[in-house]
Amino acid sequence: MSNMAGAAGNTQITYTVTFPEAQAHYIDVEMHIKGLKQQATEIKMPVWAPGSYLVREFAKNVEGFVAEGNGSMLYAVKTSKNTWRVSTAGVKDLTVRYRVYAFEISVRTSFVDASHAFLSNSGVFMYPKGMLNEPSTVKIIPYKGWTKVSTGLDAVGNDPFVLKAPNYDILFDSPIEVGTQDTFDFIVDGVKYEMAMYGSGTYNKDRLTKDLTKLIKAQTSLFGENPNKRYTFIVHHFLKGGGGLEHLNSTVLGASRDAYSTEKGYQGFLELASHEHFHLWNVKRLRPIALGPFDYENENYTTNLWIAEGFTAYFEYKTIRQASLYPESTFITTLTGDINTNENQPGGKIQSVAESSFDAWIKYYRPNENSANSTISYYGKGSLIGYLLDLEIINSSNAQYSLDDVMRYMYNEYYKSLKRGYTDAEFKLGLEKFAGKKLDNFYRDYINGVTVINHDKYLGYAGYKLIDELAGSNTPALGVATSNTNNRFLVTTVSRNTSAWVGGINVNDELVAIDGTPVTDMTTILNGKKPGDKIDVTINRDGLEMILPIVLLKSNKTRYKIEPVDNPSKKQLSVRQKWLAL
């Protein structure tokens, strides 16, 4: 260990990035380290991208690693999946060259072709061990025809193709778009916003500028400040696009190029932009204590992604409402959709939202055919926790406070004053401060437990009630989802405790017939049947036909809607007004 120490602090690190074979999806990287004093230098590639909690093994895309110093090739050996050890005895200046294959379209992975390059930096730039706090400079030599760079990194001088990062946390948190993207700027309360739009799209620049300005103002008002001097939206347009990834002063959004043409599609884009922009406070600054400084080689565990992502999902549409970008009816409809999704997922009775957060690394990003039966999303369930606590605080404080006040207080206390992340217990104390009561039972039931949410209690604070439109039905259900391939109905999911689950139907079974009648339409296969009936289901399993006797059970699906109560009290109306920004 001693021969690796003392290297940081006197080094200069520069990168040169070229794209000689952009059409073949390659990024060529040359890394130069000046001022070394050690016998050996370990060069490492991160294994994950902060904000996306999965070990993605970025080193799998690396080719042709070589090292050079003093005019000669140096001995370099790979010592682990993401580490190369270079002999640097007597070498002050080290040059490392390698290539990165980049052909995965997502907001968290790099992609290069002849039209543009998107660099998701934790999967592109290696770092010397022990030097994560060192500054670096990145020089980009664009592919033919590329004229623009869009990123949260600052340029060196007046050259937009030469960028600087004060440390690796900033470098890895600042994706880079290079190409001919359509860019336009606007200023919100002194902060410069850049929209970098890759690919054609039906977006209206004036409408986006107007609406995003309103949204940014609403979110800034919630926290009391915008900590950035500038912010970059990098938007990738494809036939079918989606997803977003937050960064300190930028975000990357995936969008469908024609989605802006419909109100539903435009609203979807606005919600995505709202979610990722809200993250510049919640997660990137106000954060669980485990999420920074980052360990780029291993999982960074927290039980609080229900706050980091779930609360952001809730404020995604709450702040749109506060910005008057859609009516309160749309807010209620969106909340209703969240409730229906959560309550109809059997895994919500198995996995708590705290467990969901902790296990994101092995479960959320790696779903299988049984995930709906065994897991719950910290996004969706966390969003519901957000609305419950919002109404609890508003009601308990007689409409003086809301969850907004908690977020602003925690931001000021932990990010600005203490300059660190919060623990689970500290966030609970912050909630209790504004609720004016202990939340032990709430945490026991809804965060660390799997108790069914009492929505009527919390909605009742604002003069609403939850109605299950299917409560009086007596409809049987098989309990499967299928795909239709050439009129062959293959089972893709079997829901827990349904007729199919109990009767032994498996995923990948082909449904051939019901009581001898061929299956041609899944919507009519149980016509005339009722709960308690026995049916014979003919299936094809691995090429073998068999008949399974099945007892039909009542459908366990719910379909909720939120309605106002009759004759709401004065307090209920005051809670409603505060909650819905009426």
Side-chain angles (χ1 to χ4, degrees):
M1 294 293 289
S2 59
N3 66 352
M4 303 293 295
N10 300 306
T11 55
Q12 296 178 23
I13 303 172
T14 59
Y15 297 89
T16 301
V17 181
T18 58
F19 309 93
E21 292 187 294
Q23 84 289 347
H25 322 297
Y26 276 97
I27 306 164
D28 284 48
V29 181
E30 181 177 291
M31 177 186 188
H32 188 67
I33 309 173
K34 185 177 182 180
L36 291 176
K37 297 179 180 179
Q38 62 234 39
Q39 298 294 307
T41 303
E42 290 188 358
I43 308 295
K44 292 179 172 290
M45 175 71 86
V47 304
W48 67 290
S52 183
Y53 307 101
L54 175 68
V55 171
R56 295 182 184 275
E57 310 294 18
F58 292 127
K60 69 185 178 183
N61 297 317
V62 172
E63 299 176 15
F65 183 100
V66 294
E68 182 181 330
N70 294 341
S72 302
M73 300 302 294
L74 300 176
Y75 178 71
V77 61
K78 194 171 186 181
T79 58
S80 73
K81 63 182 182 180
N82 68 316
T83 305
W84 289 258
R85 185 180 179 93
V86 182
S87 296
T88 52
V91 174
K92 291 184 178 181
D93 296 354
L94 169 66
T95 299
V96 169
R97 298 183 184 90
Y98 59 93
R99 313 187 81 195
V100 177
Y101 181 69
F103 193 57
E104 181 179 351
I105 294 176
S106 83
V107 297
R108 63 192 72 86
T109 50
S110 298
F111 181 90
V112 175
D113 65 12
S115 68
H116 81 129
F118 171 64
L119 309 184
S120 181
N121 290 349
S122 62
V124 174
F125 296 108
M126 296 187 186
Y127 65 94
K129 180 180 179 181
M131 301 188 200
L132 285 173
N133 291 324
E134 291 297 298
S136 61
T137 302
V138 177
K139 181 178 182 180
I140 297 172
I141 300 177
Y143 187 64
K144 59 185 179 183
W146 294 356
T147 59
K148 295 181 180 179
V149 173
S150 298
T151 180
L153 291 173
D154 289 332
V156 176
N158 296 318
D159 189 344
F161 288 91
V162 181
L163 308 167
K164 59 183 177 181
N167 54 56
Y168 278 92
D169 284 336
I170 298 297
L171 178 62
F172 292 152
D173 199 36
S174 303
I176 304 170
E177 176 71 21
V178 191
T180 59
Q181 61 271 22
D182 182 20
T183 60
F184 60 98
D185 301 336
F186 56 95
I187 295 176
V188 185
D189 296 332
V191 180
K192 182 180 179 181
Y193 280 80
E194 177 190 356
M195 302 293 295
M197 316 292 266
Y198 164 75
S200 61
T202 56
Y203 52 87
N204 180 302
K205 294 181 183 180
D206 290 339
R207 186 181 185 187
L208 277 177
T209 297
K210 179 182 176 182
D211 289 349
L212 287 175
T213 295
K214 290 180 180 179
L215 177 63
I216 291 163
K217 282 180 174 289
Q219 293 186 349
T220 301
S221 176
L222 190 154
F223 285 97
E225 68 171 16
N226 189 327
N228 291 311
K229 293 182 179 179
R230 63 185 187 90
Y231 188 94
T232 304
F233 284 97
I234 298 173
V235 185
H236 293 152
H237 294 103
F238 297 100
L239 178 62
K240 293 183 179 180
L245 189 64
E246 70 275 4
H247 300 283
L248 198 67
N249 67 341
S250 65
T251 186
V252 185
L253 309 179
S256 298
R257 62 175 68 103
D258 296 326
Y260 306 90
S261 301
T262 67
E263 282 304 306
K264 182 179 179 181
Y266 181 77
Q267 179 182 314
F269 178 81
L270 205 60
E271 289 173 349
L272 177 61
S274 176
H275 183 104
E276 302 305 335
H277 187 264
F278 193 85
H279 270 315
L280 79 84
W281 294 278
N282 191 33
V283 172
K284 298 314 301 181
R285 291 172 174 85
L286 171 62
R287 60 176 175 78
I289 200 164
L291 298 184
F294 292 116
D295 177 349
Y296 293 102
E297 295 190 83
N298 298 286
E299 296 85 347
N300 293 224
Y301 292 105
T302 175
T303 58
N304 293 133
L305 293 183
W306 60 272
I307 301 170
E309 290 291 355
F311 278 18
T312 302
Y314 173 60
F315 279 104
E316 157 192 324
Y317 59 91
K318 185 181 181 185
T319 54
I320 291 178
R321 169 60 202 146
Q322 290 171 328
S324 299
L325 290 173
Y326 56 43
E328 63 269 21
S329 59
T330 303
F331 176 92
I332 293 295
T333 298
T334 304
L335 174 60
T336 304
D338 282 354
I339 292 173
N340 277 311
T341 298
N342 183 79
E343 299 301 341
N344 281 298
Q345 182 147 335
K349 298 179 177 65
I350 304 297
Q351 184 187 53
S352 74
V353 74
E355 291 173 325
S356 175
S357 299
F358 192 85
D359 281 343
W361 296 91
I362 58 173
K363 293 188 177 182
Y364 183 78
Y365 288 96
R366 289 174 174 162
N368 61 27
E369 68 282 348
N370 196 50
S371 292
N373 291 317
S374 60
T375 66
I376 197 69
S377 166
Y378 50 80
Y379 284 87
K381 181 68 175 291
S383 178
L384 294 187
I385 297 297
Y387 109 81
L388 298 176
L389 287 168
D390 202 6
L391 283 171
E392 180 64 58
I393 292 167
I394 296 171
N395 183 70
S396 296
S397 67
N398 292 313
Q400 182 179 359
Y401 302 119
S402 71
L403 189 58
D404 300 28
D405 296 283
V406 177
M407 301 303 287
R408 182 166 51 250
Y409 165 77
M410 295 295 290
Y411 173 82
N412 288 325
E413 182 72 12
Y414 289 91
Y415 169 67
K416 296 189 71 176
S417 296
L418 298 177
K419 303 184 186 308
R420 65 169 175 83
Y422 57 80
T423 66
D424 184 73
E426 287 168 342
F427 202 95
K428 179 173 177 285
L429 287 173
L431 290 166
E432 292 172 341
K433 175 182 177 68
F434 289 91
K437 62 171 67 174
K438 290 287 188 180
L439 294 172
D440 294 0
N441 292 342
F442 186 96
Y443 265 68
R444 179 198 65 203
D445 293 342
Y446 298 146
I447 294 169
N448 299 314
V450 293
T451 301
V452 175
I453 294 174
N454 183 355
H455 291 284
D456 276 333
K457 172 185 174 181
Y458 296 91
L459 290 171
Y461 292 152
Y464 289 102
K465 59 185 176 181
L466 195 66
I467 296 174
D468 182 3
E469 296 180 300
L470 301 180
S473 67
N474 192 37
T475 305
L478 196 55
V480 299
T482 60
S483 65
N484 183 353
T485 305
N486 297 323
N487 290 321
R488 296 178 63 227
F489 293 87
L490 301 178
V491 175
T492 56
T493 304
V494 179
S495 294
R496 186 183 292 273
N497 297 331
T498 60
S499 311
W501 175 281
V502 175
I505 294 177
N506 290 181
V507 167
N508 298 326
D509 287 348
E510 177 190 352
L511 299 183
V512 177
I514 303 292
D515 288 337
T517 301
V519 174
T520 58
D521 181 357
M522 288 299 297
T523 64
T524 60
I525 60 172
L526 297 183
N527 281 357
K529 305 295 183 182
K530 61 183 183 300
D533 286 351
K534 297 179 180 179
I535 61 173
D536 287 332
V537 179
T538 304
I539 64 168
N540 184 313
R541 180 178 295 170
D542 191 32
L544 300 176
E545 194 166 283
M546 61 182 69
I547 297 176
L548 297 177
I550 302 288
V551 177
L552 289 175
L553 303 176
K554 180 179 178 297
S555 172
N556 59 10
K557 293 293 184 182
T558 56
R559 188 172 67 221
Y560 290 111
K561 64 178 181 179
I562 296 173
E563 289 190 349
V565 300
D566 295 330
N567 304 313
S569 67
K570 183 178 179 180
K571 182 175 182 180
Q572 286 176 316
L573 290 175
S574 69
V575 170
R576 184 186 299 180
Q577 183 175 15
K578 177 80 168 178
W579 183 41
L580 299 180
L582 298 175

